C-alpha cells in the first residue's frame, strides 16, 4: 500500500506520510522496516524476467533497473520518515545479500542490528540480488523480513497489508471470505485457500507472506497480519494494543 | 566534478552525462565507479559533525541524512549511466561496510566482484558508515576506491579530478604550480606540497587522494590522476591511451 498498484512508478504518498506519522507516534520503539516493490520493482522485474534467473545478456540492464526502481521507492519512504522526525536510513539488500537458488543463507545482519541499537530505523526492501545458482533473482521483502526478524531476535513481525488479515479465501474476489483471527501454522496447508494478489506481484502475494512467516513463528517471533491502509492500525500494532488482524501461532 | 561544489544538493548534470557517454564509448571495459560527496554529502556531514564520530544523539538524524544525500547523488549518476546504455547498479557502502576508527578492515567485496563478472557496472560512493570505535564516521570515496582496486585485483585506478593531476602546489591558488607527470611514492612526503581542496570537503581533498593511493601502488595497481572535467580524458584513460595527468609509481 506504499504504491498505487496499477500505476507504474507511482508512490502512494498519502499512505506513506500517514504511516511515517504513526511510526513517529510509536517512536522510539526499535523498528526495522522492509517494504515490497509495488508498482516500482515488480513491473520492471517482470518485463525482464529477473525472478526466473539469468538466461540472456539482454536481462542485465533490467536487473540493474529493477534495483534502481526499488532504490527510488525506498528514497521516497526514507524521506517521508526523515520528514516525520525519524532517523531512517536506507539499507540496500543487494549490496550485501546474494541468494542460493532464491533462498538466503548465512547473511550477516550485524550492520542492521547495530543501526537499531544506535537509534536509527533501517529501511530495507525486496530487491534484485545476485544468486549463486540462477545468476540473479528477486529476493522478496517477505523472505527478507522473516530472516531479519529471526536473525535479530525480534519480538514481533508485523505484516502491513491492504486487507484486514488472512482470510479463508481472497476477500477481494469472494463475498464469503471470512477473516481468520488466529491461524495455527500446522493447519495452513489443509485449511486456508489464500488467493493470489490481484495485481502484478512477482513474489507471491498473501500466500507467499504466510508461507514465509511460518519460519518466524517456529523461531518464537509473534507474527501479525494487519491492515496498513486503515489509520492507526500500524500504530496500535507497534504499541502492542489490540487490533483487528490475523495472528499466526505455533 | 559530478556536483556544483558551492551549491548544495546541485548535481553537475552536464559533466555526469558526458562522463556516462565516455564510459559507454569504452564499454564493455570492466569498471567499478566510486564517487565522492560533493555538494550533497559533505555539507550535511559537516553540519552534524559525522566524520568526527558520535558525541550526541542529536547527530543521529544527520548520520541518516548524510547517507540519504549520497543515495540521491548516486541515483542521478546511476540513471545517467543507465540512460547511456550501461547496466549500472548502485552498491551502498554503509549497507555492508563498517569501519574501525575510520579505516576499513576485512571487507567482503565478493558482490561487487561478481557484479563486474556479470557485466554490471557497480557504482559506489563515499558514505556515512558505522564505526566500531567512533560509533559512526565518514568513509571517503578515496579510501573505498583504493581498497576496492586492491581487493578486486584491478589493473588500474583512475582518479578523475578537476585539475590536470597532482601539482607541486595548489594550481588554483598558486601561479607557479607545476604538474607532476610521474610521482614516486617514496618522494611524496619531502617533495609535494599539495593544497587542500578549495571547497567544503570532509575527507581531505587531493592530499587525501594521494595519501590513500599509495597503498594501491604498493599492491601493483597502476594509479593515475586525470582531469575529468576535460572532454575525452576519462575515455582515453579507460582505453589506456596517453593522456595528460599524474601517474603514481612505486
Amino acid at each position: 500500500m506504499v504504491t498505487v498498484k496499477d500505476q507504474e512508478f507511482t508512490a502512494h504518498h498519502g499512505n506513506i506520510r500517514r504511516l511515517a506519522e504513526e511510526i513517529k507516534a510509536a517512536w522510539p520503539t526499535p523498528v526495522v522496516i522492509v517494504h515490497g516493490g509495488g508498482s516500482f520493482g515488480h513491473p520492471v522485474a517482470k518485463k525482464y524476467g529477473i525472478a526466473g534467473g539469468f538466461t540472456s545478456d539482454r536481462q542485465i540492464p533490467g536487473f540493474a533497473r529493477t534495483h534502481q526502481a526499488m532504490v527510488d521507492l525506498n528514497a521516497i519512504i526514507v524521506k517521508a520518515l526523515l520528514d516525520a522526525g525519524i532517523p531512517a536510513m536506507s539499507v540496500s539488500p543487494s549490496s550485501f545479500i546474494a541468494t542460493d537458488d532464491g533462498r538466503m543463507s548465512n547473511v550477516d545482519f550485524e550492520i542492521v542490528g547495530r543501526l537499531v541499537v544506535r537509534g536509527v530505523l533501517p529501511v530495507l526492501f525486496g530487491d534484485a540480488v545476485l544468486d549463486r545458482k540462477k545468476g540473479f533473482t528477486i529476493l522478496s521483502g517477505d523472505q527478507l523480513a522473516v530472516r531479519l526478524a529471526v536473525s535479530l531476535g525480534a519480538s514481533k513481525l508485523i505484516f502491513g497489508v491492504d486487507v484486514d488479515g488472512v482470510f479463508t479465501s481472497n476477500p477481494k474476489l469472494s463475498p464469503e471470505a471470512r477473516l481468520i483471527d488466529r491461524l495455527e501454522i500446522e493447519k495452513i496447508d489443509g485449511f486456508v485457500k489464500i488467493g493470489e494478489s490481484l495485481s502484478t506481484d512477482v513474489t507471491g502475494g498473501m500466500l507467499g507472506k504466510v508461507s514465509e512467516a511460518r519460519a518466524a513463528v517456529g523461531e518464537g517471533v509473534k507474527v501479525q497480519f494487519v491492515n496498513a491502509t486503515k489509520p492507526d492500525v500500524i500504530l496500535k500494532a507497534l504499541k502492542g494494543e489490540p487490533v483487528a488482524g490475523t495472528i499466526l501461532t505455533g
Side-chain angles (χ1 to χ4, degrees), chain A:
Chain A
M1 79 298 313
V2 293
T3 71
V4 183
K5 277 224 168 176
D6 46 13
Q7 281 178 258
E8 283 192 20
F9 307 116
T10 308
H12 197 311
H13 293 281
N15 276 347
I16 291 171
R17 227 171 357 239
R18 178 179 53 74
L19 289 167
E21 292 297 340
E22 293 185 27
I23 291 159
K24 172 65 176 173
W27 193 253
T29 307
V31 178
V32 176
I33 291 178
V34 179
H35 63 81
S39 66
F40 282 71
H42 289 298
V44 191
K46 198 169 182 182
K47 177 179 172 189
Y48 290 92
I50 304 305
F54 174 83
T55 54
S56 155
D57 279 340
R58 282 175 301 187
Q59 295 171 296
I60 301 289
F63 173 69
R65 283 183 186 276
T66 301
H67 173 66
Q68 191 56 42
M70 291 309 302
V71 169
D72 290 348
L73 174 58
N74 184 255
I76 293 169
I77 293 170
V78 167
K79 284 170 190 172
L81 288 160
L82 287 169
D83 288 347
I86 302 277
M89 186 158 166
S90 171
V91 175
S92 185
S94 57
S95 296
F96 71 107
I97 300 172
T99 51
D100 197 342
D101 204 13
R103 305 300 301 176
M104 299 167 64
S105 53
N106 301 322
V107 172
D108 183 352
F109 286 119
E110 187 202 338
I111 284 180
V112 179
R114 285 174 57 198
L115 287 171
V116 174
V117 170
R118 181 56 73 191
V120 175
L121 190 163
V123 187
L124 295 88
F125 46 89
D127 201 0
V129 299
L130 291 173
D131 186 279
R132 292 188 180 85
K133 187 173 173 192
K134 300 158 83 170
F136 49 64
T137 192
I138 298 297
L139 170 66
S140 75
D142 300 330
Q143 182 186 159
L144 177 56
V146 168
R147 297 298 289 257
L148 266 166
V150 170
S151 177
L152 299 179
S155 57
K156 201 195 292 183
L157 171 58
I158 303 166
F159 283 87
V161 290
D162 63 355
V163 290
D164 282 346
V166 182
F167 285 76
T168 50
S169 57
N170 189 329
K172 291 177 180 171
L173 297 176
S174 160
E176 304 93 51
R178 193 169 49 78
L179 181 66
I180 305 166
D181 291 332
R182 301 182 75 83
L183 180 57
E184 289 178 51
I185 53 172
E186 286 81 10
K187 294 190 178 166
I188 288 175
D189 290 332
F191 182 59
V192 192
K193 285 174 286 180
I194 302 157
E196 285 294 301
S197 174
L198 295 174
S199 301
T200 308
D201 187 336
V202 289
T203 52
M206 184 65 92
L207 185 60
K209 289 181 207 304
V210 172
S211 176
E212 291 290 351
R214 296 164 77 153
V217 175
E219 296 284 336
V221 181
K222 180 179 172 181
V223 177
Q224 200 174 7
F225 289 80
V226 301
N227 194 333
T229 69
K230 291 187 176 170
D232 291 339
V233 167
I234 287 290
L235 170 59
K236 284 178 184 161
L238 284 171
K239 289 172 116 178
E241 295 174 6
V243 61
T246 300
I247 289 173
L248 285 201
T249 63

